[in-house]
Amino acid sequence: MDSIWLEYAWALLILIGLEGLLSADNALVLAVIAKHLPDDQKKKAINYGIIMAFVFRFAALFAISFIANVWQVQAIGAAYLLYLGLKHIIKAKFGKKNEENRKETEKEAAGKGFWPTVGKIALADLAFAIDSILAAVALALGLPDSPLGEFGGMDGGQFIVVVLGGIAGLILIKFAATWFVKLLAKRPALETTAYAIVAWVGVKLAIITLAHGDIGVLDPHFPHGTLWTSIFYIVLVAIALLGWFAPSNKVHKADHA
């Protein structure tokens, strides 16, 4: 029996690490979407975003079986994240260059106002909540059955692991969001990095959708296998590192020195 709880504890540590990565992405997106607002509204919008992240992730916990079995929900989340990420990347790459493009983007965003910005944050939170819970459930379902019975459509011990991992992720969002707001002011090139990460998480949800039993394009075990999991996190870290060490960050810093 002790070996089971040791396995559960190890899985929880891994899950907290995974949720930490997803929460950092979520927090960075909150900061990016709200960055055009005045400081007082920006803080309020991010707080709303954190509250919605809490609500959506806990709601997703009690809709695990629905999210895991209805591919349309996963597909909508994937489509929204891909749209959000690719729209910005394409505009940054092929639109007007540098400062002119940035000013135009900020002017366009500023015209959307407070509540439309909160609405955009809500949609991003929802998509990240779906991805977060799917990742947690995929890890938890690999654990042996516990003596705690069944809850929430899965084994009680597995459900507790998912809940604790989710709570840890939400705590990280709270602290990371404020830090990312300050970081974006110093490193504006991270905005494109954030949207690249968003698009990549969208690809991950698309892979899960294509592996769904009703779609059957990919093997159902592929999205949670070692190969795809390794590819996903290697690319995720590579995007983050490329964004962090992007020359434009250094130039911007030098310009404001």
Side-chain angles (χ1 to χ4, degrees):
M1 185 63 68
D2 287 344
S3 62
I4 288 179
W5 296 123
L6 228 108
E7 196 172 340
Y8 269 75
W10 176 242
L12 180 59
L13 283 175
I14 294 171
L15 182 56
I16 288 170
L18 295 179
E19 291 293 332
L21 283 171
L22 290 170
S23 297
D25 296 343
N26 199 162
L28 181 52
V29 172
L30 292 187
V32 167
I33 293 174
K35 73 189 283 285
H36 67 276
L37 294 171
D39 286 344
D40 56 334
Q41 289 190 358
K42 186 190 298 179
K43 189 175 180 182
K44 194 185 291 186
I46 287 172
N47 284 336
Y48 278 137
I50 292 166
I51 292 166
M52 286 184 289
F54 270 73
V55 171
F56 289 144
R57 290 192 188 204
F58 275 108
L61 281 173
F62 294 97
I64 285 171
S65 57
F66 178 75
I67 291 171
N69 293 319
V70 181
W71 66 265
Q72 289 91 339
V73 175
Q74 299 160 17
I76 290 167
Y80 180 70
L81 290 183
L82 282 166
Y83 164 76
L84 194 64
L86 292 176
K87 180 187 174 188
H88 179 90
I89 292 166
I90 291 167
K91 198 168 186 178
K93 184 75 176 172
F94 301 106
K96 295 177 182 177
K97 296 293 179 184
N98 304 328
E99 191 68 14
E100 189 182 346
N101 184 55
R102 185 180 67 80
K103 284 179 180 177
E104 187 180 290
T105 302
E106 287 181 359
K107 187 178 177 183
E108 179 189 328
K112 292 176 181 174
F114 178 75
W115 288 112
T117 300
V118 171
K120 194 175 179 183
I121 287 173
L123 285 172
D125 276 339
L126 184 57
F128 271 99
I130 292 168
D131 183 55
S132 168
I133 295 303
L134 286 173
V137 170
L139 182 70
L141 288 179
L143 293 167
D145 289 342
S146 72
L148 300 178
E150 194 172 293
F151 190 78
M154 62 194 300
D155 176 81
Q158 295 171 359
F159 185 82
I160 289 170
V161 166
V162 173
V163 171
L164 291 176
I167 290 170
L170 290 168
I171 291 168
L172 288 166
I173 286 179
K174 170 65 179 170
F175 290 105
T178 306
W179 182 71
F180 278 128
V181 167
K182 294 174 184 173
L183 186 63
L184 280 167
K186 296 177 183 176
R187 293 177 173 264
L190 280 177
E191 182 174 347
T192 300
T193 304
Y195 280 113
I197 289 171
V198 167
W200 184 236
V201 174
V203 169
K204 181 187 174 188
L205 273 179
I207 292 287
I208 292 170
T209 304
L210 293 172
H212 193 280
D214 292 342
I215 305 295
V217 173
L218 296 173
D219 184 284
H221 302 294
F222 178 72
H224 310 299
T226 307
L227 176 62
W228 169 246
T229 303
S230 301
I231 290 170
F232 175 77
Y233 284 106
I234 288 169
V235 173
L236 185 70
V237 171
I239 292 170
L241 289 174
L242 283 170
W244 183 264
F245 292 108
S248 56
N249 280 327
K250 294 174 185 175
V251 170
H252 181 85
K253 192 173 181 180
D255 289 343
H256 288 73

